[in-house]
Amino acid sequence: MSAPFLPAPPRPASHDALLAFAWSTQEFTASEAMDATGLTRSTTIDALDALTELGLLRELPNARLAGEYRKGRPARRFSLRDDAAVLVGVDAGHVHVTAVVADLRSRTLATRRATLEVDHDPPAARAALILAAIDDALRAAGRDRADVLAMCVGVPAPVNAAGRSPRHPTGFWERMNPDLVDALGWARNLRIDNDASLAAVAEGTLGAAVGCRDYVTLLAGTRLGAGVVVDGVLLRGRHGGVGEMVAFDHVEGVGSADGLGARVAAWAAAAATDTSRASTGGLAAIPADELDARKVLELAAAGDPGAREIAERVGVVLARIVSVLGSMFDPQRVVVSGGISAGVEDVVAAARRHLPTDLDLPAPELVVSALGADVVVTGAVAAASAAARDGALDVWSAVEGEGSVPA
């Protein structure tokens, strides 16, 4: 078991500068670190030695020992010690929980998944299952709670800056976020956030919104949810409610916060059982208990007329949703994200055709995410990585006689 992280004493700013450089670089020499940070040679060497002693950096064999002959004094080479601690990202969804343990380079070490009893799990049982998934993933990675440098958990509920969700008329939000900020209080650099917000983090970090400062990520499976980024800032609101879609209950042509996947499945089921129409196509051939959005969209992509009609109808709804989001937040781009994104191209193509042309503001660009069903947990790991970079030296301390990291 690893030695505990302890609050660190005040430190020179050079330590933060060198650690930030190391985190964004692979192997590097002291001279390269000095050039990148603008520090003097002596300050750079002192900081590198201090970070190596703490266990955050690893000194590598010099160029001559590594077989790269160079004249003169061999350069000292370093790299981030990516196994010094771990990051944990969790997608605690309505139906499924996914927990990922990653190293400090955000490379996955272990993943564990669990299924929840939909709408019948009391808050305490949900919290216990989430904790069990995290602990299982840590064990699978050969690590434990003491190794966690940062953790982020996404939930299908608004979350305020303190990690808590407001009361919901049916208790849904409280059940989705059963005071996880308390249940996970052992974790350092803990962040509880809305799942669509973390999808936006993922898209902005390595997805369809990289380099974009104004975008909306639309989670569009069973229920609609949006992560909103304006001027490069992820918006939250007082109660964490930015991006909640209940307002679409009152928007003509949308009518509810039901997601695109839910609409596809519901309209396909209705079409397959419509005795007033000759249902002889692919929809009629699929048993009712197997008819889901994925199968319908696969049929649409294959050219099935009934499925294409449903994709067109859902595209009209998506166009209305995008036009409202465009008017509210003025984004450059709207990214359709989540599990449904894998087969939603026909729906998005229809939405592009039906985007209004008479809006006061230009319509946003509409694109499909390539991150798939794990977009929320991907965003959670990315958020944990950002927290680790910012806070590593605030919680890291050398234990007398040895580093505060695994051997």
Side-chain angles (χ1 to χ4, degrees):
M1 182 172 177
S2 305
F5 294 99
L6 301 173
R11 61 183 181 273
S14 58
H15 292 192
D16 295 272
L18 263 297
L19 182 59
F21 170 71
W23 217 305
S24 61
T25 311
Q26 296 298 318
E27 298 178 7
F28 61 92
T29 65
S31 295
E32 290 168 341
M34 180 181 68
D35 292 342
T37 60
L39 300 171
T40 65
R41 176 168 291 277
S42 61
T43 299
T44 298
I45 295 299
D46 287 346
L48 289 173
D49 287 341
L51 293 173
T52 301
E53 183 179 352
L54 281 175
L56 282 165
L57 297 185
R58 176 183 287 113
E59 185 165 5
L60 305 171
N62 63 49
R64 184 169 296 163
L65 292 176
E68 300 174 12
Y69 176 76
R70 293 176 185 175
K71 292 183 178 180
R73 186 176 182 179
R76 296 177 67 188
R77 298 162 61 246
F78 300 84
S79 70
L80 177 73
R81 188 174 175 186
D82 48 37
D83 62 348
V86 295
L87 313 172
V88 176
V90 183
D91 176 8
H94 186 193
V95 180
H96 302 287
V97 173
T98 301
V100 170
V101 176
D103 67 14
L104 294 185
R105 297 282 190 191
S106 298
R107 293 176 294 215
T108 298
L109 303 175
T111 301
R112 286 295 180 269
R113 303 181 193 273
T115 301
L116 295 156
E117 188 177 357
V118 180
D119 295 333
H120 296 288
D121 54 328
R126 171 173 279 264
L129 189 147
I130 293 169
L131 263 69
I134 293 169
D135 286 334
D136 286 349
L138 285 168
R139 279 192 293 271
R143 312 302 286 261
D144 58 35
R145 292 182 177 185
D147 296 318
V148 178
L149 181 55
M151 179 186 297
C152 181
V153 182
V155 297
V159 182
N160 66 18
R164 302 190 185 277
S165 298
R167 294 178 61 84
H168 185 269
T170 68
F172 179 76
W173 290 340
E174 299 97 305
R175 198 169 76 255
M176 294 300 100
N177 180 15
D179 292 323
L180 291 175
V181 71
D182 298 323
L184 298 170
W186 51 267
R188 305 165 196 84
N189 293 317
L190 175 63
R191 173 175 170 180
I192 313 297
D193 213 333
N194 171 259
D195 54 1
S197 293
L198 293 179
V201 171
E203 298 295 350
T205 301
L206 49 94
V210 171
C212 183
R213 292 179 53 81
D214 300 281
Y215 65 95
V216 174
T217 296
L218 186 66
L219 276 183
T222 303
R223 297 281 291 177
L224 294 173
V228 181
V229 175
V230 175
D231 294 335
V233 177
L234 180 66
L235 302 186
R236 183 189 299 278
R238 180 180 179 185
H239 303 100
V242 172
E244 284 299 311
M245 296 300 200
V246 68
F248 282 108
D249 290 354
H250 310 287
V251 175
E252 184 179 355
V254 181
S256 74
D258 289 344
L260 304 185
R263 292 172 196 263
V264 168
W267 288 344
T273 58
D274 186 354
T275 58
S276 67
R277 304 175 60 181
S279 296
T280 58
L283 294 178
I286 300 176
D289 60 349
E290 298 179 12
L291 194 60
D292 59 18
R294 180 182 60 82
K295 288 186 174 66
V296 176
L297 293 175
E298 286 176 354
L299 285 172
D304 180 82
R308 290 186 66 84
E309 180 180 339
I310 290 169
E312 188 78 13
R313 289 180 62 191
V314 177
V316 172
V317 174
L318 177 57
R320 183 62 59 91
I321 292 168
V322 170
S323 65
V324 172
L325 293 173
S327 296
M328 292 174 61
F329 299 111
D330 189 20
Q332 174 186 346
R333 190 171 301 159
V334 173
V335 182
V336 178
S337 193
I340 192 176
S341 64
V344 79
E345 289 83 1
D346 286 304
V347 172
V348 170
R352 293 190 186 112
R353 291 193 297 271
H354 290 283
L355 278 173
T357 58
D358 58 350
L359 299 174
D360 292 337
L361 293 171
E365 178 187 10
L366 182 59
V367 301
V368 179
S369 171
L371 298 182
D374 281 339
V375 63
V376 174
V377 75
T378 299
V381 171
S385 176
R389 291 180 184 227
D390 291 342
L393 286 173
D394 290 330
V395 297
W396 210 285
S397 176
V399 174
E400 186 174 358
E402 60 179 356
S404 59
V405 295

